[in-house]
Amino acid sequence: MPELSHGRRMLVLAICCMSLLIVSLDNTVLNVALPSLQRELDASTSGLQWTVDAYTLVLASLLMLAGSTADRIGRRRVFMSGLVVFTLGSLLCSLAPDLNWLVVFRMVQAVGGSMLNPVAMSIITNTFTDPRERARAIGVWGAVVGLSMAAGPLVGGLLVDSVGWRSIFWVNLPVGLAALLLTWRFVPESRAPRARRPDPVGQVLVIALFGSLTYAIIEAPHGSWRSTAPFAALALISLLALLRYEPRRPEPLIDLRFFRSAPFSGATVIAVSAFAALGGFLFLSTLYLQNVRGLSAMEAGLWMLPMAVPTFLCAPLSGRLVGSRGPRLPLLVAGGAMTVSGLLFALFEAETSNATLLLGYVLFGVGFGFGFVNAPITNTAVSGMPLSQAGVASAVASTSRQLGQTLGVAVLGAVLAAGVSASSYASYASYADTFVSASRPGWWILAACGAVVLALGVVTTGVWARGTAERAARRLEGERLSRRAGVDA
């Protein structure tokens, strides 16, 4: 990639942030619209789950493929393709005649989305070659995600109340088209000097594992064991096949040797746990605020601000703490805050009091996501890894985030569906009465996710854990140099 002027680099950063904004905004905006979707499309709890999970599931399955493809055929080309597919998918979502088509079109969106964020980060990394300038650019990137978290509920509430749920997808159209034209005009093409080879078998196994596991969880409360057991079995078979097949490839889709590093393994589990908590938290809170308290979408969006604002404010503080003191303290703060927030709802029925509801939202905002837990996830995942493997390790961490969000909505939605009887949906009063008690196990699960973050924050950031990362890095780099020497010979 040619050296760009400072102004051109800032423009490339702005273009990449535009793609991040629409992808991140899409999830938070959609959550506020779920009750409207439920009423207008006569959707069940599982239908709402699929509306969210169809997107995150496809995203999780294709992130690593999109990144390696962009390195091989050109990052600008894949990024522009992603903008086209995501914008087209958004248009189709706004025109969906029923819930089934909406789920299909959300999957189209996700195919485009998988080509945006990881590829945009790669473009930024290659555009900003100075380490300090690159750090500032990544800080701006993180702030955009925090902005989307804060603005999403308000924007979604305003659009749903004034125009309708279909309008939440219209926001993506002008931004996507503008980003496409600007990318074509100002973003130079770049490729990796040596791209990773494709792994089609590994990719198919990942899709089979994620898809069948999610289906089995979501549909378990609604079907018999005979209808869900085959999908659970397929998930197990896919997992075992991955564990057997991937170590045999010289450049696997998922390098299982990474998991010899305790920090990497911990970061993966922390990402799944934290983002499962996020997905479940947003799902339960949105349905409670609108379906139980009877708030409008705009009012529900305002209630979500106490969660979103701390997330936005804590992001830069977390980054500075990771840089100066390491990932342990931010992870302990995150895990502790998320655990206490879950316990407030599980033990003290925080929903029944405005004060405790507000406190629960603030605590979760401090603990979650791009507040105190997200920066340590990336830092811990690549900690001690050789530079040649850092991008792949980061991609696995990103996939873990999306998988966690998928599983959070699947598991907590299944718990809620199992507790709310079918007859409850016929009566608002009956549904409201049973919702709080039916969601109680879900809050316990969220508290457990926070406890996992807390425990792993201690175990995977100490001297022993750093030693495992160093040994894994030496082994990986040694094997890489041996293979290269064999090729040269």
Side-chain angles (χ1 to χ4, degrees):
M1 177 182 287
E3 184 67 26
L4 305 179
S5 66
H6 176 75
R8 182 79 173 271
R9 292 197 299 273
M10 291 299 105
L11 182 57
V12 170
L13 175 62
I15 294 167
C16 291
C17 287
M18 288 171 69
S19 73
L20 175 66
L21 181 64
I22 56 176
V23 172
S24 302
L25 200 65
D26 201 67
N27 268 337
T28 51
V29 167
L30 179 66
N31 271 280
V32 177
L34 287 179
S36 294
L37 282 169
Q38 188 175 34
R39 290 189 296 269
E40 292 190 28
L41 300 182
D42 193 26
S44 63
T45 300
S46 65
L48 298 180
Q49 289 171 271
W50 279 117
T51 305
V52 177
D53 275 357
Y55 182 85
T56 55
L57 179 62
V58 173
L59 207 61
S61 301
L62 299 181
L63 276 174
M64 288 184 287
L65 174 63
S68 61
T69 302
D71 287 342
R72 187 165 51 255
I73 70 172
R75 299 181 181 108
R76 175 175 174 264
R77 179 182 300 177
V78 172
F79 187 69
M80 291 179 65
S81 300
L83 286 168
V84 170
V85 176
F86 186 86
T87 305
L88 176 61
S90 299
L91 175 62
L92 293 173
C93 286
S94 72
L95 301 174
D98 55 40
L99 186 71
N100 292 331
W101 279 111
L102 178 60
V103 170
V104 171
F105 295 149
R106 286 281 289 167
M107 296 173 73
V108 174
Q109 259 193 318
V111 172
S114 70
M115 304 181 209
L116 296 181
N117 287 2
V119 180
M121 177 56 74
S122 184
I123 290 173
I124 290 173
T125 302
N126 285 271
T127 299
F128 294 88
T129 54
D130 178 72
R132 295 182 64 182
E133 195 176 40
R134 180 186 296 168
R136 287 194 292 269
I138 293 175
V140 172
W141 174 267
V144 170
V145 178
L147 178 63
S148 72
M149 287 286 294
L154 286 179
V155 172
L158 180 63
L159 289 173
V160 171
D161 281 349
S162 60
V163 184
W165 66 266
R166 296 180 187 275
S167 62
I168 65 175
F169 298 106
W170 297 344
V171 177
N172 301 331
L173 305 184
V175 180
L177 290 173
L180 178 64
L181 293 174
L182 290 170
T183 302
W184 174 75
R185 176 66 179 83
F186 295 107
V187 176
E189 184 61 278
S190 64
R191 294 177 178 83
R194 182 179 179 275
R196 291 169 60 84
R197 286 181 290 181
D199 180 9
V201 175
Q203 183 63 60
V204 170
L205 290 173
V206 166
I207 293 173
L209 171 60
F210 291 175
S212 57
L213 178 62
T214 304
Y215 183 91
I217 294 171
I218 290 178
E219 298 300 329
H222 311 285
S224 65
W225 68 270
R226 290 183 179 178
S227 62
T228 55
F231 290 92
L234 177 59
L236 178 60
I237 292 170
S238 301
L239 175 61
L240 295 175
L242 268 174
L243 295 176
R244 182 172 178 81
Y245 175 77
E246 291 296 277
R248 298 169 181 266
R249 286 189 56 84
E251 291 184 337
L253 183 71
I254 302 175
D255 197 330
L256 300 180
R257 295 171 299 177
F258 286 177
F259 291 94
R260 296 169 182 165
S261 164
F264 179 85
S265 299
T268 302
V269 179
I270 288 170
V272 172
S273 300
F275 278 76
L278 172 70
F281 189 94
L282 292 176
F283 191 80
L284 290 181
S285 296
T286 301
L287 294 180
Y288 169 76
L289 291 171
Q290 295 187 55
N291 287 354
V292 177
R293 285 207 168 193
L295 302 181
S296 67
M298 184 64 187
E299 290 169 331
L302 289 171
W303 262 105
M304 300 298 281
L305 277 179
M307 182 203 75
V309 171
T311 298
F312 176 67
L313 295 178
C314 290
L317 175 59
S318 176
R320 285 195 293 271
L321 282 174
V322 171
S324 62
R325 302 188 61 178
R328 173 173 286 189
L329 180 59
L331 287 175
L332 296 184
V333 172
M338 290 167 59
T339 303
V340 173
S341 175
L343 291 176
L344 270 178
F345 289 94
L347 288 175
F348 302 105
E349 297 187 356
E351 308 99 317
T352 57
S353 164
N354 286 341
T356 52
L357 183 64
L358 178 65
L359 178 60
Y361 283 179
V362 170
L363 284 171
F364 192 85
V366 168
F368 167 70
F370 289 84
F372 272 106
V373 77
N374 194 61
I377 288 173
T378 302
N379 178 272
T380 308
V382 301
S383 176
M385 288 289 174
L387 291 177
S388 60
Q389 304 286 350
V392 182
S394 179
V396 174
S398 297
T399 299
S400 301
R401 292 182 181 97
Q402 298 299 329
L403 176 62
Q405 195 163 348
T406 302
L407 294 177
V409 174
V411 172
L412 270 74
V415 168
L416 180 66
V420 178
S421 64
S423 60
S424 299
Y425 289 99
S427 165
Y428 170 79
S430 178
Y431 180 82
D433 287 341
T434 57
F435 185 96
V436 173
S437 60
S439 63
R440 193 72 55 231
W443 294 116
W444 279 109
I445 293 172
L446 292 186
C449 288
V452 169
V453 174
L454 183 64
L456 290 178
V458 175
V459 174
T460 63
T461 56
V463 176
W464 167 79
R466 288 194 294 272
T468 65
E470 291 168 2
R471 289 192 294 274
R474 286 195 299 267
R475 203 165 180 176
L476 285 166
E477 189 65 11
E479 291 175 6
R480 185 184 70 85
L481 292 175
S482 297
R483 284 198 306 270
R484 175 166 293 184
V487 172
D488 293 340

